Amino acid sequence: MSAKVLSADPVIRRRDVIGSEITKIITHPATVIMLAITLVVNLFLAVIDASGLIFYTGAGPARLSSFGMVMLAPLYAFLVIPVWAAATEHHGGQLRMSLTATPRRGTFAPAKLTATTTVCLAAAVIAIVPARLVIGIASGLDPAELAQNCVQWVAVYVLMSLIAFGLAGVLRNTIAPLAIMIALPVVVATGILQWPDGIRFLPDQASLSLVGTPGYDVTELPPVIAAGVLVGWAVLSVVAYTIALLRRDA
């Protein structure tokens, strides 16, 4: 009668870890609430723009969609999703439980990043595409232009989410990263920082340039460059978080 030898280190499939992390994110109340808020506010702004309401500024009459900072404002509610995905690991011993289930951090870190990216991509499509379709159709955009506009907005949501995700993981906090992300455009709007060549490379300004509504003429970047800047910030944030997870949180 042969005895079966049980492995002390069972093989943990990456797809199972990714599935577990996705479940953890989408079942968190903050994910559902913030996604609903972002969707509703985006649709509200889109309806106002589609109604043809004109706003008069020093530069002349303009529709609401011309005010990039206003149209991008719902994004900062959306960022709660990736921030909670990263920072809540450090609340109430959740990280210890996650690492008990997946002791190999080299598996856990990329799985968590993949899960967060997947959830944020799907959530971004839900949160922003319906509003962009309303605005695009009302503005008479052709299908190609409409598709490009939707892709640009989704890209901003996903890349800004990755920046917030990495920042939250490094700081191990849910409030500080959101405060930093919100404070950046506020500080720029006050005019305290008189350095347009540097300000244009901040994430919020690059986001505005990518969607075609730069905050200021002097901070405008070509869309391709703006996309590259956001990718750079996202990579930097994610790498910093991964290093912290592998080294500092060991």
Side-chain angles (χ1 to χ4, degrees), residues 49-74:
D49 182 78
S51 69
L53 183 63
I54 298 298
F55 297 85
Y56 292 90
T57 66
R63 292 175 58 173
L64 185 61
S65 57
S66 300
F67 301 94
M69 286 181 280
V70 174
M71 301 303 292
L72 201 62

Side-chain angles (χ1 to χ4, degrees), residues 125-217:
V125 171
I126 296 172
I128 191 63
V129 169
R132 300 317 302 176
L133 290 176
V134 171
I135 293 173
I137 293 172
S139 301
L141 297 181
D142 62 46
E145 292 173 326
L146 187 55
Q148 180 181 346
N149 185 260
C150 289
V151 169
Q152 289 172 314
W153 276 89
V154 169
V156 164
Y157 268 61
V158 173
L159 291 172
M160 288 288 279
S161 293
L162 291 178
I163 295 171
F165 171 78
L167 190 59
V170 170
L171 297 177
R172 294 186 289 188
N173 188 280
T174 54
I175 303 300
L178 290 173
I180 292 172
M181 300 291 286
I182 294 172
L184 281 176
V186 173
V187 171
V188 171
T190 61
I192 296 175
L193 300 177
Q194 294 296 320
W195 186 35
D197 289 338
I199 290 173
R200 71 179 63 182
F201 294 105
L202 292 175
D204 64 297
Q205 296 302 309
S207 297
L208 291 170
S209 291
L210 180 54
V211 297
T213 54
Y216 309 94
D217 292 338

Side-chain angles (χ1 to χ4, degrees), residues 6-248:
L6 297 179
S7 172
D9 184 19
V11 176
I12 300 175
R13 296 180 300 180
R14 181 165 296 180
R15 67 181 182 184
D16 292 335
V17 182
I18 294 173
S20 174
E21 290 301 313
I22 289 177
T23 300
K24 189 189 303 181
I25 297 171
I26 64 177
T27 55
H28 196 290
T31 300
V32 178
I33 293 171
M34 290 303 133
L35 177 57
I37 290 174
T38 308
L39 172 61
V40 170
V41 175
N42 274 325
L43 284 174
F44 176 72
L45 295 175
V47 169
I48 292 176
D49 182 78
S51 69
L53 183 63
I54 298 298
F55 297 85
Y56 292 90
T57 66
R63 292 175 58 173
L64 185 61
S65 57
S66 300
F67 301 94
M69 286 181 280
V70 174
M71 301 303 292
L72 201 62
L75 166 66
Y76 296 95
F78 184 87
L79 293 183
V80 171
I81 298 174
V83 165
W84 274 94
T88 49
E89 287 290 352
H90 302 279
H91 294 173
Q94 179 61 53
L95 180 60
R96 186 179 298 109
M97 295 172 61
S98 297
L99 292 177
T100 299
T102 312
R104 295 182 179 178
R105 295 170 190 247
T107 298
F108 177 69
K112 190 166 188 64
L113 173 61
T114 302
T116 302
T117 304
T118 301
V119 171
C120 287
L121 175 59
V125 171
I126 296 172
I128 191 63
V129 169
R132 300 317 302 176
L133 290 176
V134 171
I135 293 173
I137 293 172
S139 301
L141 297 181
D142 62 46
E145 292 173 326
L146 187 55
Q148 180 181 346
N149 185 260
C150 289
V151 169
Q152 289 172 314
W153 276 89
V154 169
V156 164
Y157 268 61
V158 173
L159 291 172
M160 288 288 279
S161 293
L162 291 178
I163 295 171
F165 171 78
L167 190 59
V170 170
L171 297 177
R172 294 186 289 188
N173 188 280
T174 54
I175 303 300
L178 290 173
I180 292 172
M181 300 291 286
I182 294 172
L184 281 176
V186 173
V187 171
V188 171
T190 61
I192 296 175
L193 300 177
Q194 294 296 320
W195 186 35
D197 289 338
I199 290 173
R200 71 179 63 182
F201 294 105
L202 292 175
D204 64 297
Q205 296 302 309
S207 297
L208 291 170
S209 291
L210 180 54
V211 297
T213 54
Y216 309 94
D217 292 338
V218 292
T219 61
E220 183 176 4
L221 289 172
V224 175
I225 301 298
V229 169
L230 285 175
V231 169
W233 279 109
V235 170
L236 179 63
S237 298
V238 168
V239 168
Y241 171 60
T242 302
I243 293 174
L245 182 61
L246 296 177
R247 302 294 182 181
R248 181 196 63 189

